[in-house]
Amino acid sequence: MRRVLILGGTGEARELARLLDGDTAFDVTLSLAGRTAAPLPAAGRTRSGGFGGAAGLAGWLRAERAGALVDATHPFAAAISRHAADAASAAAVPLLAVRRPGWNAGPGDRWHLADTLAEAAALLPALGTRAFLTVGRQDLAAFAATRLFCLVRSVDPPAPPLPADHRLVLARGPFTVEDELRLMRDHRIDVLVTKDSGGDATAAKLAAARAFGLPVLVVRRPRPPSGVPVARTPAEAAAWLRALPHALPPGATP
């Protein structure tokens, strides 16, 4: 039996845990950072809270005799991904990143790309006066100085600083196009701001912006750490795990 640690917080992580649940070849732990007050339920065993950086994660992998590490965190969780790469290398544990495909602009889209949140905040005033911010509650500080009206959507209440003129909507996806059209119409939104998170759960806002002809300010996602193999779906990740050589994990004895 191979012990697998999945670094989660995404739908892909929950789906991978479900695919492996009940498979006697694996002993799976799904790790959640604990930043969401009421995470969605997941199959199998879960743990909540950080590890104490790369060194702490490497120590956990060694202590638990883990045979594989899967980084299925959010595409923008760059620090956690770096820690995962460093920890897997230090503990000599195979590492896989799961990254859903990013979004692509289509006919009729008016996309403006930024490499960072700070760059997006600087570009925003030239694109509109009433912004729909869908960048996650931990990245709102980059827009705190803006004088625009901002509709802010988040799963949990965000901590300050926030834009002075804002309206907060607490909601969890998936959202329908009709939901997004209504929300944008009711708040007279004229520009959408989002990170290139990819996936279907929050893609409806892009279709709604296209329908209204609105500009969309898209923050590009960071690249995974160099040398880490990437699966695009939980099914690909499960296949990768099943194809690993049946070697003993570090520190184990026959």
Side-chain angles (χ1 to χ4, degrees), residues 62-153:
R62 294 190 191 97
E64 297 296 325
R65 296 183 175 180
L69 175 62
V70 179
D71 172 16
T73 57
H74 192 275
F76 280 81
I80 298 176
S81 294
R82 288 194 301 270
H83 291 167
D86 292 343
S89 177
V93 171
L95 169 65
L96 176 73
V98 180
R99 293 292 181 268
R100 69 186 77 129
W103 293 316
N104 294 304
D109 285 331
R110 299 172 55 200
W111 282 21
H112 301 262
L113 301 178
D115 288 322
T116 65
L117 289 158
E119 182 182 340
L123 292 172
L124 182 55
L127 299 177
T129 60
R130 298 182 66 84
F132 184 14
L133 294 184
T134 62
V135 297
R137 67 188 179 94
Q138 297 181 49
D139 291 317
L140 292 169
F143 300 90
T146 185
R147 297 182 180 181
L148 281 64
F149 167 81
C150 293
L151 177 64
V152 175
R153 184 166 66 196

Side-chain angles (χ1 to χ4, degrees), residues 64-253:
E64 297 296 325
R65 296 183 175 180
L69 175 62
V70 179
D71 172 16
T73 57
H74 192 275
F76 280 81
I80 298 176
S81 294
R82 288 194 301 270
H83 291 167
D86 292 343
S89 177
V93 171
L95 169 65
L96 176 73
V98 180
R99 293 292 181 268
R100 69 186 77 129
W103 293 316
N104 294 304
D109 285 331
R110 299 172 55 200
W111 282 21
H112 301 262
L113 301 178
D115 288 322
T116 65
L117 289 158
E119 182 182 340
L123 292 172
L124 182 55
L127 299 177
T129 60
R130 298 182 66 84
F132 184 14
L133 294 184
T134 62
V135 297
R137 67 188 179 94
Q138 297 181 49
D139 291 317
L140 292 169
F143 300 90
T146 185
R147 297 182 180 181
L148 281 64
F149 167 81
C150 293
L151 177 64
V152 175
R153 184 166 66 196
S154 176
V155 175
D156 295 317
L162 300 172
D165 186 9
H166 77 273
R167 169 77 182 275
L168 177 62
V169 175
L170 298 180
R172 188 198 300 266
F175 305 102
T176 67
V177 176
E178 291 72 20
D179 292 336
E180 304 293 54
L181 288 169
R182 185 182 309 110
L183 190 64
M184 292 182 186
R185 184 185 301 113
D186 289 348
H187 292 87
R188 307 192 310 280
I189 297 301
D190 60 10
V191 57
L192 169 66
V193 184
T194 184
K195 296 188 293 189
D196 181 18
S197 300
D200 297 329
T202 59
K205 61 191 173 186
L206 301 174
R210 184 184 309 120
F212 283 136
L214 302 185
V216 181
L217 185 50
V218 181
V219 182
R220 294 184 177 96
R221 60 172 61 179
R223 295 180 181 274
S226 177
V228 177
V230 177
R232 294 165 65 88
T233 66
E236 287 183 13
W240 181 87
L241 286 166
R242 293 186 173 112
L244 286 175
H246 292 286
L248 290 171
T253 56

